[in-house]
Amino acid sequence: MDRLRLSSTPRPLYKEPSLSADLVHRTGATQAECASGMATLAGLSVGGDVSAGDGAPGGSTRGVVTGKYFNFNPLPPPPDVLGNPLVVGNLPTHKAPKETWRSRWQRRLARFHIGRQSAQMKRRWKIQDTISSVIASVSPSSTVLGERGGSEKRKASSVPVIVVRHPYHLRHVFELILQTPDDLAAERRFLELLMGRVLRRYGEQLAQIRGSAFSFENEAREYFFAGFKLERQIKKYTSPEERFAALQSIYVNYFHGRNYYLYALLRREKMAPDNKLFMLNSRAVYFMARIGWNGDLLDKPNPRSLPSREDIFFLVQRDKTVLTRYRSDQDFQRQVKAVLEAFPA
């Protein structure tokens, strides 16, 4: 339950440098469909009032803050959580960037606080440890050890082993992809390749459970549309309790829609040419940034809650439907550029 009270807004994943004129194509959202959300993606400012908690009896400032807390980090949908830990065979470990002897030696010295390590070297070590952790978590041998538990599991690997039943359980890996700079492009590409295999295997297992084909694209679309439908009805709720619950439902739908859209891109699904997921995602991100920590809907989004322009550009670069339409539709080019410019650089 502690995870339900995290106050930091989840972010998309990835960093990609300079915006080029030959950017992107898009899924197929018309300008009218995006007008209600994207036309207002202009002035960004911080807003919202913070209510102070009551002090403890006797005039002391210590006490317990009571009231409702908005859930900014909802758990994955229960029907999409696998019953057994995810097992991925034939991982592309042979394509992993090799660690040099110099790097291994510096890592040993760093354990004793000997020598100086650059920020780039520390980031490389973090990515290498993350890669090892993901492989250990989803490989068949480590999964069996995870089922048994005990000291045998700890001896098998020096990296954290995570029980993965949903891609959400590896959300820190997606965040790391986002934070990886271009000078570590080789490590970043392999991490994307590894997560693509994990997402592909997860989709296959979930399709077997459901008895029908599974697509992150379809799931993302349903969540986006469900959230948008609730958003259009938000003015009907006058009671604070009803409005709070409605905003929470909208946020949860948009949260899952954003994640599943990202999973579809990293899984490299062949999405419909006329899909509108990129624009829907941008609109959802903008609305989510307008929700304050206490569940109040602000007039303008909080810039700190918005993803960076590079984060949005990451989606643009990996959505082939956006890239294709961008090259042939000038109106769509202007829409995409307006969306990118609306987010902080």
Side-chain angles (χ1 to χ4, degrees), residues 3-4 6-13 70-77 80 166-172 174-175 216 219-228 230-231 247-263 280-281 283-289 291 305:
R3 288 185 295 178
L4 297 179
L6 297 179
S7 60
S8 58
T9 306
R11 295 166 57 84
L13 308 157
F70 201 85
N71 181 12
F72 287 99
N73 197 19
L75 295 175
D80 295 348
H166 190 277
Y168 174 88
H169 299 146
L170 295 174
R171 58 192 180 280
H172 65 286
F174 299 116
E175 295 174 356
F216 286 116
E219 298 293 323
R221 183 186 301 108
E222 291 182 5
Y223 281 118
F224 281 138
F225 284 147
F228 180 69
L230 291 172
E231 182 184 340
L247 287 174
Q248 184 68 81
S249 298
I250 295 171
Y251 188 94
V252 170
N253 280 287
Y254 281 164
F255 179 84
H256 294 323
R258 289 178 60 190
N259 286 341
Y260 280 56
Y261 174 49
L262 175 67
Y263 301 157
L280 291 172
N281 177 82
R283 191 185 193 284
V285 168
Y286 188 85
F287 183 86
M288 294 168 71
I291 300 178
S305 300

Side-chain angles (χ1 to χ4, degrees), residues 40-160:
T40 52
L41 297 182
L44 306 176
S45 62
V46 182
D49 298 330
V50 179
S51 58
D54 297 333
S60 174
T61 57
R62 297 179 59 187
V64 179
V65 178
T66 59
K68 295 182 179 180
Y69 291 87
F70 201 85
N71 181 12
F72 287 99
N73 197 19
L75 295 175
D80 295 348
V81 178
L82 300 177
N84 297 318
L86 182 65
V87 180
V88 184
N90 300 323
L91 291 171
T93 54
H94 61 286
K95 296 183 179 180
K98 305 300 181 182
E99 186 175 8
T100 63
W101 67 269
R102 184 185 300 274
S103 175
R104 291 193 295 269
W105 179 251
Q106 290 180 339
R107 190 192 285 253
R108 293 176 182 176
L109 295 178
R111 295 173 183 172
F112 300 97
H113 305 284
I114 301 176
R116 299 179 60 182
Q117 295 80 30
S118 63
Q120 179 184 8
M121 181 64 68
K122 293 180 180 179
R123 284 194 295 265
R124 179 175 282 111
W125 291 344
K126 183 178 181 180
I127 295 176
Q128 291 170 349
D129 291 341
T130 302
I131 291 174
S132 300
S133 176
V134 173
I135 294 176
S137 300
V138 300
S139 61
S141 58
S142 296
T143 305
V144 172
L145 291 175
E147 292 284 348
R148 296 174 182 173
S151 60
E152 185 178 2
K153 173 184 175 182
R154 291 189 290 271
K155 294 179 181 179
S157 175
S158 60
V159 296

